[in-house]
Amino acid sequence: MAERAALEELVRLQGERVRGLKQQKASAEQIEEEVAKLLKLKAQLGPDEGKQKFVLKTPKGTRDYSPRQMAVREKVFDVIISCFKRHGAEVIDTPVFELKVNDRRILDGMFAICGVPDSKFRTICSSVDKLDKVSWEEVKNEMVGEKGLAPEVADRIGDYVQQHGGVSLVEQLLQDPELSQNKQALEGLGDLKLLFEYLTLLGIADKISFDLSLARGLDYYTGVIYEAVLLQSPAQAGEEPLGVGSVAAGGRYDGLVGMFDPKGRKVPCVGLSIGVERIFSIVEQRLEALEEKVRTTETQVLVASAQKKLLEERLKLVSELWDAGIKAELLYKKNPKLLNQLQYCEEAGIPLVAIIGEQELKDGVIKLRSVASREEVDIRREDLVEEIKRRTSEPLCTC
């Protein structure tokens, strides 16, 4: 009991230290290291049958959705999004990302054969994880100058962590005379080889990079670790280079959930967190830097009028087009000038204009104008939907 009481006191003190660092806004690296120590102490403490069981509760103001509920939600959102697009709503796209993978067991095995003391594994991990932001020389200087690692050990680490590739790198490391003799590293490499076999079958192996510098700093990861990073094209004129780092990250942790189980059962888990704010920053910066005209709607045709007092006729026609699945708009003014309507199409990138005039109403036709070529042809009203569909080469929306 005395030993347990001492451990509980250590957990309490370490918890206070973590909270203090957060209040002081200490570096993320320092907080992560102290959180890892706290988790290790809690693992040593183990379950206490005399205390109330730990119950996971849904956070206040939120709820979980079952797969059935999510299927319903997705269907509803699909209908909503399709209808909004049909009526000219705007959608913004996100950049392309690449997934980097590694395995915590490979890292631990690599550190062991390179001569890193056990007590320095986590702190050296956090240094290696900076290689996507700073040069190897800066990382080495931190490991040697600030963290007391022997220079020759740092050089051996550098030989490994500057490598990245695909399954060929996995196979190369499986033949490494030292790394292949380490049990942890061998298990990690075997699992990564299997992962790449599955990725090849799924046709996405070329989108995944095995990166030995990926070293998630938290202590609870037990297997594969990964990060999604932005694939940057060279900065265009007037565009600032993006330096947001990873936009999603996670990994496998088989021991964390079991810490909260009174029986200490092992619960294999894989988790992922998404940096939504970082993605917002990327999209916003790109939109600001974009100078060329970009079409932000999927509107196929604008319903316009050539004379005044034709609002009712425009509403009738746009309703017919919507019912037929055509993505159409009209200007919500009673008597807009034709020039303003045509100018709106050019600015919004709408390819076609369906023009109603007094003569067109008498003749039972609609004047269809190509915004790009400015060519105009009369189309019988009953043939308008098929003509718009043919010209825009888009499948009809059925919402």
Side-chain angles (χ1 to χ4, degrees), residues 102-113 160 170 173-174 176 178-192 210 212:
N102 198 358
D103 194 291
R104 194 54 176 267
R105 294 165 295 179
I106 299 173
L107 281 168
D108 287 349
M110 177 186 68
F111 289 154
I113 67 168
Y160 285 107
V170 177
L173 293 175
L174 281 168
D176 185 286
E178 291 185 277
L179 202 59
S180 61
Q181 299 303 309
N182 182 278
K183 182 181 177 182
Q184 276 190 300
L186 200 58
E187 289 176 355
L189 288 167
D191 282 356
L192 271 189
F210 173 30
L212 280 161

Side-chain angles (χ1 to χ4, degrees), residues 49-74:
E49 299 295 340
K51 290 188 176 181
Q52 187 178 3
K53 290 183 178 179
F54 182 86
V55 179
L56 290 173
K57 294 183 179 180
T58 304
K60 187 176 181 180
T62 69
R63 58 171 293 188
D64 291 328
Y65 295 98
S66 69
R68 179 189 173 99
Q69 290 173 312
M70 284 305 301
V72 172
R73 287 167 63 82
E74 286 180 6

Side-chain angles (χ1 to χ4, degrees), residues 11-128:
V11 168
R12 185 187 69 78
L13 292 173
Q14 185 65 19
E16 289 181 355
R17 174 164 175 74
V18 170
R19 287 189 291 274
L21 289 172
K22 289 180 178 179
Q23 290 173 356
Q24 297 164 18
K25 296 184 179 180
S27 68
E29 176 187 332
Q30 189 177 3
I31 293 174
E32 283 184 359
E33 288 181 9
E34 296 303 322
V35 168
K37 292 177 184 177
L38 177 60
L39 291 174
K40 190 174 290 186
L41 285 170
K42 286 184 176 179
Q44 292 175 20
L45 190 60
D48 186 352
E49 299 295 340
K51 290 188 176 181
Q52 187 178 3
K53 290 183 178 179
F54 182 86
V55 179
L56 290 173
K57 294 183 179 180
T58 304
K60 187 176 181 180
T62 69
R63 58 171 293 188
D64 291 328
Y65 295 98
S66 69
R68 179 189 173 99
Q69 290 173 312
M70 284 305 301
V72 172
R73 287 167 63 82
E74 286 180 6
K75 185 173 182 179
V76 170
F77 277 121
D78 283 344
V79 172
I80 293 170
I81 292 168
S82 297
C83 288
F84 268 84
K85 286 183 178 180
R86 179 154 55 95
H87 293 272
E90 298 182 356
V91 175
I92 57 174
D93 200 3
T94 55
V96 179
F97 302 98
E98 175 191 55
L99 190 66
K100 299 195 298 184
V101 298
N102 198 358
D103 194 291
R104 194 54 176 267
R105 294 165 295 179
I106 299 173
L107 281 168
D108 287 349
M110 177 186 68
F111 289 154
I113 67 168
C114 289
V116 179
D118 290 351
S119 60
K120 293 185 181 293
F121 270 31
R122 298 290 75 84
T123 186
I124 297 303
C125 240
S126 62
S127 295
V128 169

Side-chain angles (χ1 to χ4, degrees), residues 10 34 53 107-108 190 246 250 263 269 376:
L10 287 174
E34 296 303 322
K53 290 183 178 179
L107 281 168
D108 287 349
S246 65
K263 295 183 179 179
C269 295
E376 296 179 350

Side-chain angles (χ1 to χ4, degrees), residues 19 33 117 149 191 205 215 242 315 384:
R19 287 189 291 274
E33 288 181 9
L149 195 67
D191 282 356
L242 292 170
L315 289 171
L384 182 62

